[in-house]
Amino acid sequence: SAPSTLQSDFEPTLKAYVESKGIKLGNFMAGLRIALTGKTSGLTIFDYLTLFGKERSITRIQRTLHL
């Protein structure tokens, strides 16, 4: 499938930021997927972010960080 607009707009920035912190993008995305969905596979991260919206995505990530 074609990349979502969010993905094509945001992925290069996200990749550069994550790599500047010394983190491999794949490792970061795997952790983010688990934080958002509780699963290790499924839609792209950007599809989930679009589906859940900003506030719900932030809430899910914060909940995971506070476990």
Side-chain angles (χ1 to χ4, degrees):
S1 68
S4 69
T5 301
L6 180 63
Q7 181 174 357
S8 59
D9 290 347
F10 188 58
E11 187 172 22
T13 303
L14 178 64
K15 182 177 181 180
Y17 176 77
V18 169
E19 290 178 352
S20 78
K21 299 298 181 186
I23 303 168
K24 292 184 179 182
L25 184 63
N27 292 340
F28 177 82
M29 296 299 255
L32 183 56
R33 178 189 309 279
I34 292 169
L36 289 170
T37 70
K39 299 179 181 182
T40 58
S41 63
L43 302 173
T44 71
I45 293 302
F46 300 99
D47 288 338
Y48 284 120
L49 292 171
T50 300
L51 178 68
F52 295 150
K54 180 180 177 179
E55 294 305 318
R56 187 170 171 201
S57 295
I58 290 171
T59 298
R60 286 172 173 246
I61 293 166
Q62 288 175 332
R63 182 176 54 219
T64 300
L65 292 173
H66 289 90
L67 289 178

mmCIF file with all atom_site columns, all heavy atoms in Angstrom, residues 53-66:
data_model
loop_
_atom_site.group_PDB
_atom_site.id
_atom_site.type_symbol
_atom_site.label_atom_id
_atom_site.label_alt_id
_atom_site.label_comp_id
_atom_site.label_asym_id
_atom_site.label_entity_id
_atom_site.label_seq_id
_atom_site.pdbx_PDB_ins_code
_atom_site.Cartn_x
_atom_site.Cartn_y
_atom_site.Cartn_z
_atom_site.occupancy
_atom_site.B_iso_or_equiv
_atom_site.pdbx_formal_charge
_atom_site.auth_seq_id
_atom_site.auth_comp_id
_atom_site.auth_asym_id
_atom_site.auth_atom_id
_atom_site.pdbx_PDB_model_num
ATOM 1   N N   . GLY A 1 53 ? -5.316 9.017  16.313 1.00 0.00 ? 53 GLY A N   1
ATOM 2   C CA  . GLY A 1 53 ? -5.297 10.461 16.498 1.00 0.00 ? 53 GLY A CA  1
ATOM 3   C C   . GLY A 1 53 ? -4.262 10.851 17.539 1.00 0.00 ? 53 GLY A C   1
ATOM 4   O O   . GLY A 1 53 ? -3.738 10.016 18.282 1.00 0.00 ? 53 GLY A O   1
ATOM 5   N N   . LYS A 1 54 ? -3.969 12.120 17.594 1.00 0.00 ? 54 LYS A N   1
ATOM 6   C CA  . LYS A 1 54 ? -2.896 12.631 18.453 1.00 0.00 ? 54 LYS A CA  1
ATOM 7   C C   . LYS A 1 54 ? -3.128 12.345 19.930 1.00 0.00 ? 54 LYS A C   1
ATOM 8   O O   . LYS A 1 54 ? -2.261 11.783 20.607 1.00 0.00 ? 54 LYS A O   1
ATOM 9   C CB  . LYS A 1 54 ? -2.747 14.135 18.228 1.00 0.00 ? 54 LYS A CB  1
ATOM 10  C CG  . LYS A 1 54 ? -1.667 14.771 19.074 1.00 0.00 ? 54 LYS A CG  1
ATOM 11  C CD  . LYS A 1 54 ? -1.574 16.261 18.810 1.00 0.00 ? 54 LYS A CD  1
ATOM 12  C CE  . LYS A 1 54 ? -0.559 16.922 19.706 1.00 0.00 ? 54 LYS A CE  1
ATOM 13  N NZ  . LYS A 1 54 ? -0.451 18.357 19.435 1.00 0.00 ? 54 LYS A NZ  1
ATOM 14  N N   . GLU A 1 55 ? -4.268 12.740 20.455 1.00 0.00 ? 55 GLU A N   1
ATOM 15  C CA  . GLU A 1 55 ? -4.512 12.626 21.896 1.00 0.00 ? 55 GLU A CA  1
ATOM 16  C C   . GLU A 1 55 ? -4.524 11.173 22.359 1.00 0.00 ? 55 GLU A C   1
ATOM 17  O O   . GLU A 1 55 ? -3.927 10.831 23.386 1.00 0.00 ? 55 GLU A O   1
ATOM 18  C CB  . GLU A 1 55 ? -5.812 13.336 22.281 1.00 0.00 ? 55 GLU A CB  1
ATOM 19  C CG  . GLU A 1 55 ? -5.775 14.836 22.088 1.00 0.00 ? 55 GLU A CG  1
ATOM 20  C CD  . GLU A 1 55 ? -4.619 15.513 22.805 1.00 0.00 ? 55 GLU A CD  1
ATOM 21  O OE1 . GLU A 1 55 ? -4.331 15.155 23.966 1.00 0.00 ? 55 GLU A OE1 1
ATOM 22  O OE2 . GLU A 1 55 ? -3.990 16.397 22.201 1.00 0.00 ? 55 GLU A OE2 1
ATOM 23  N N   . ARG A 1 56 ? -5.203 10.310 21.622 1.00 0.00 ? 56 ARG A N   1
ATOM 24  C CA  . ARG A 1 56 ? -5.273 8.892  22.012 1.00 0.00 ? 56 ARG A CA  1
ATOM 25  C C   . ARG A 1 56 ? -3.891 8.249  21.916 1.00 0.00 ? 56 ARG A C   1
ATOM 26  O O   . ARG A 1 56 ? -3.518 7.447  22.776 1.00 0.00 ? 56 ARG A O   1
ATOM 27  C CB  . ARG A 1 56 ? -6.278 8.165  21.126 1.00 0.00 ? 56 ARG A CB  1
ATOM 28  C CG  . ARG A 1 56 ? -6.560 6.756  21.546 1.00 0.00 ? 56 ARG A CG  1
ATOM 29  C CD  . ARG A 1 56 ? -7.731 6.202  20.767 1.00 0.00 ? 56 ARG A CD  1
ATOM 30  N NE  . ARG A 1 56 ? -7.883 4.781  20.996 1.00 0.00 ? 56 ARG A NE  1
ATOM 31  C CZ  . ARG A 1 56 ? -8.528 3.974  20.187 1.00 0.00 ? 56 ARG A CZ  1
ATOM 32  N NH1 . ARG A 1 56 ? -9.110 4.445  19.095 1.00 0.00 ? 56 ARG A NH1 1
ATOM 33  N NH2 . ARG A 1 56 ? -8.623 2.695  20.445 1.00 0.00 ? 56 ARG A NH2 1
ATOM 34  N N   . SER A 1 57 ? -3.120 8.606  20.893 1.00 0.00 ? 57 SER A N   1
ATOM 35  C CA  . SER A 1 57 ? -1.771 8.065  20.748 1.00 0.00 ? 57 SER A CA  1
ATOM 36  C C   . SER A 1 57 ? -0.895 8.491  21.918 1.00 0.00 ? 57 SER A C   1
ATOM 37  O O   . SER A 1 57 ? -0.183 7.671  22.509 1.00 0.00 ? 57 SER A O   1
ATOM 38  C CB  . SER A 1 57 ? -1.140 8.527  19.424 1.00 0.00 ? 57 SER A CB  1
ATOM 39  O OG  . SER A 1 57 ? -1.838 8.003  18.320 1.00 0.00 ? 57 SER A OG  1
ATOM 40  N N   . ILE A 1 58 ? -0.951 9.767  22.272 1.00 0.00 ? 58 ILE A N   1
ATOM 41  C CA  . ILE A 1 58 ? -0.156 10.271 23.395 1.00 0.00 ? 58 ILE A CA  1
ATOM 42  C C   . ILE A 1 58 ? -0.559 9.566  24.685 1.00 0.00 ? 58 ILE A C   1
ATOM 43  O O   . ILE A 1 58 ? 0.297  9.163  25.475 1.00 0.00 ? 58 ILE A O   1
ATOM 44  C CB  . ILE A 1 58 ? -0.293 11.799 23.519 1.00 0.00 ? 58 ILE A CB  1
ATOM 45  C CG1 . ILE A 1 58 ? 0.425  12.475 22.349 1.00 0.00 ? 58 ILE A CG1 1
ATOM 46  C CG2 . ILE A 1 58 ? 0.250  12.299 24.859 1.00 0.00 ? 58 ILE A CG2 1
ATOM 47  C CD1 . ILE A 1 58 ? 0.166  13.964 22.242 1.00 0.00 ? 58 ILE A CD1 1
ATOM 48  N N   . THR A 1 59 ? -1.840 9.402  24.907 1.00 0.00 ? 59 THR A N   1
ATOM 49  C CA  . THR A 1 59 ? -2.331 8.728  26.113 1.00 0.00 ? 59 THR A CA  1
ATOM 50  C C   . THR A 1 59 ? -1.801 7.307  26.188 1.00 0.00 ? 59 THR A C   1
ATOM 51  O O   . THR A 1 59 ? -1.345 6.857  27.251 1.00 0.00 ? 59 THR A O   1
ATOM 52  C CB  . THR A 1 59 ? -3.870 8.716  26.146 1.00 0.00 ? 59 THR A CB  1
ATOM 53  O OG1 . THR A 1 59 ? -4.329 10.066 26.184 1.00 0.00 ? 59 THR A OG1 1
ATOM 54  C CG2 . THR A 1 59 ? -4.415 7.947  27.333 1.00 0.00 ? 59 THR A CG2 1
ATOM 55  N N   . ARG A 1 60 ? -1.825 6.581  25.078 1.00 0.00 ? 60 ARG A N   1
ATOM 56  C CA  . ARG A 1 60 ? -1.337 5.206  25.058 1.00 0.00 ? 60 ARG A CA  1
ATOM 57  C C   . ARG A 1 60 ? 0.158  5.140  25.342 1.00 0.00 ? 60 ARG A C   1
ATOM 58  O O   . ARG A 1 60 ? 0.627  4.283  26.074 1.00 0.00 ? 60 ARG A O   1
ATOM 59  C CB  . ARG A 1 60 ? -1.658 4.534  23.719 1.00 0.00 ? 60 ARG A CB  1
ATOM 60  C CG  . ARG A 1 60 ? -3.127 4.183  23.591 1.00 0.00 ? 60 ARG A CG  1
ATOM 61  C CD  . ARG A 1 60 ? -3.444 3.704  22.180 1.00 0.00 ? 60 ARG A CD  1
ATOM 62  N NE  . ARG A 1 60 ? -4.798 3.213  22.122 1.00 0.00 ? 60 ARG A NE  1
ATOM 63  C CZ  . ARG A 1 60 ? -5.135 1.947  21.900 1.00 0.00 ? 60 ARG A CZ  1
ATOM 64  N NH1 . ARG A 1 60 ? -4.203 1.045  21.666 1.00 0.00 ? 60 ARG A NH1 1
ATOM 65  N NH2 . ARG A 1 60 ? -6.394 1.579  21.867 1.00 0.00 ? 60 ARG A NH2 1
ATOM 66  N N   . ILE A 1 61 ? 0.913  6.054  24.759 1.00 0.00 ? 61 ILE A N   1
ATOM 67  C CA  . ILE A 1 61 ? 2.365  6.074  24.971 1.00 0.00 ? 61 ILE A CA  1
ATOM 68  C C   . ILE A 1 61 ? 2.667  6.415  26.430 1.00 0.00 ? 61 ILE A C   1
ATOM 69  O O   . ILE A 1 61 ? 3.495  5.761  27.068 1.00 0.00 ? 61 ILE A O   1
ATOM 70  C CB  . ILE A 1 61 ? 3.043  7.066  24.001 1.00 0.00 ? 61 ILE A CB  1
ATOM 71  C CG1 . ILE A 1 61 ? 2.910  6.544  22.564 1.00 0.00 ? 61 ILE A CG1 1
ATOM 72  C CG2 . ILE A 1 61 ? 4.497  7.278  24.375 1.00 0.00 ? 61 ILE A CG2 1
ATOM 73  C CD1 . ILE A 1 61 ? 3.231  7.589  21.495 1.00 0.00 ? 61 ILE A CD1 1
ATOM 74  N N   . GLN A 1 62 ? 1.988  7.426  26.962 1.00 0.00 ? 62 GLN A N   1
ATOM 75  C CA  . GLN A 1 62 ? 2.208  7.804  28.369 1.00 0.00 ? 62 GLN A CA  1
ATOM 76  C C   . GLN A 1 62 ? 1.858  6.669  29.317 1.00 0.00 ? 62 GLN A C   1
ATOM 77  O O   . GLN A 1 62 ? 2.570  6.431  30.291 1.00 0.00 ? 62 GLN A O   1
ATOM 78  C CB  . GLN A 1 62 ? 1.401  9.053  28.708 1.00 0.00 ? 62 GLN A CB  1
ATOM 79  C CG  . GLN A 1 62 ? 1.950  10.299 28.079 1.00 0.00 ? 62 GLN A CG  1
ATOM 80  C CD  . GLN A 1 62 ? 1.076  11.521 28.329 1.00 0.00 ? 62 GLN A CD  1
ATOM 81  O OE1 . GLN A 1 62 ? -0.131 11.416 28.510 1.00 0.00 ? 62 GLN A OE1 1
ATOM 82  N NE2 . GLN A 1 62 ? 1.698  12.688 28.322 1.00 0.00 ? 62 GLN A NE2 1
ATOM 83  N N   . ARG A 1 63 ? 0.787  5.968  29.038 1.00 0.00 ? 63 ARG A N   1
ATOM 84  C CA  . ARG A 1 63 ? 0.380  4.838  29.885 1.00 0.00 ? 63 ARG A CA  1
ATOM 85  C C   . ARG A 1 63 ? 1.479  3.780  29.898 1.00 0.00 ? 63 ARG A C   1
ATOM 86  O O   . ARG A 1 63 ? 1.806  3.227  30.939 1.00 0.00 ? 63 ARG A O   1
ATOM 87  C CB  . ARG A 1 63 ? -0.943 4.272  29.389 1.00 0.00 ? 63 ARG A CB  1
ATOM 88  C CG  . ARG A 1 63 ? -1.464 3.133  30.249 1.00 0.00 ? 63 ARG A CG  1
ATOM 89  C CD  . ARG A 1 63 ? -2.828 2.636  29.817 1.00 0.00 ? 63 ARG A CD  1
ATOM 90  N NE  . ARG A 1 63 ? -2.805 2.283  28.401 1.00 0.00 ? 63 ARG A NE  1
ATOM 91  C CZ  . ARG A 1 63 ? -3.798 2.517  27.556 1.00 0.00 ? 63 ARG A CZ  1
ATOM 92  N NH1 . ARG A 1 63 ? -4.893 3.129  27.958 1.00 0.00 ? 63 ARG A NH1 1
ATOM 93  N NH2 . ARG A 1 63 ? -3.716 2.149  26.303 1.00 0.00 ? 63 ARG A NH2 1
ATOM 94  N N   . THR A 1 64 ? 2.075  3.515  28.752 1.00 0.00 ? 64 THR A N   1
ATOM 95  C CA  . THR A 1 64 ? 3.145  2.526  28.667 1.00 0.00 ? 64 THR A CA  1
ATOM 96  C C   . THR A 1 64 ? 4.376  2.978  29.434 1.00 0.00 ? 64 THR A C   1
ATOM 97  O O   . THR A 1 64 ? 5.017  2.196  30.136 1.00 0.00 ? 64 THR A O   1
ATOM 98  C CB  . THR A 1 64 ? 3.516  2.245  27.193 1.00 0.00 ? 64 THR A CB  1
ATOM 99  O OG1 . THR A 1 64 ? 2.347  1.748  26.523 1.00 0.00 ? 64 THR A OG1 1
ATOM 100 C CG2 . THR A 1 64 ? 4.631  1.240  27.090 1.00 0.00 ? 64 THR A CG2 1
ATOM 101 N N   . LEU A 1 65 ? 4.703  4.255  29.337 1.00 0.00 ? 65 LEU A N   1
ATOM 102 C CA  . LEU A 1 65 ? 5.887  4.782  30.023 1.00 0.00 ? 65 LEU A CA  1
ATOM 103 C C   . LEU A 1 65 ? 5.741  4.743  31.530 1.00 0.00 ? 65 LEU A C   1
ATOM 104 O O   . LEU A 1 65 ? 6.740  4.712  32.256 1.00 0.00 ? 65 LEU A O   1
ATOM 105 C CB  . LEU A 1 65 ? 6.164  6.220  29.570 1.00 0.00 ? 65 LEU A CB  1
ATOM 106 C CG  . LEU A 1 65 ? 6.622  6.367  28.112 1.00 0.00 ? 65 LEU A CG  1
ATOM 107 C CD1 . LEU A 1 65 ? 6.691  7.839  27.745 1.00 0.00 ? 65 LEU A CD1 1
ATOM 108 C CD2 . LEU A 1 65 ? 7.953  5.677  27.883 1.00 0.00 ? 65 LEU A CD2 1
ATOM 109 N N   . HIS A 1 66 ? 4.522  4.733  32.019 1.00 0.00 ? 66 HIS A N   1
ATOM 110 C CA  . HIS A 1 66 ? 4.280  4.749  33.469 1.00 0.00 ? 66 HIS A CA  1
ATOM 111 C C   . HIS A 1 66 ? 4.035  3.360  34.065 1.00 0.00 ? 66 HIS A C   1
ATOM 112 O O   . HIS A 1 66 ? 3.676  3.269  35.228 1.00 0.00 ? 66 HIS A O   1
ATOM 113 C CB  . HIS A 1 66 ? 3.122  5.684  33.788 1.00 0.00 ? 66 HIS A CB  1
ATOM 114 C CG  . HIS A 1 66 ? 3.465  7.110  33.594 1.00 0.00 ? 66 HIS A CG  1
ATOM 115 N ND1 . HIS A 1 66 ? 3.287  7.750  32.395 1.00 0.00 ? 66 HIS A ND1 1
ATOM 116 C CD2 . HIS A 1 66 ? 4.028  8.018  34.416 1.00 0.00 ? 66 HIS A CD2 1
ATOM 117 C CE1 . HIS A 1 66 ? 3.707  8.989  32.498 1.00 0.00 ? 66 HIS A CE1 1
ATOM 118 N NE2 . HIS A 1 66 ? 4.174  9.177  33.707 1.00 0.00 ? 66 HIS A NE2 1
#
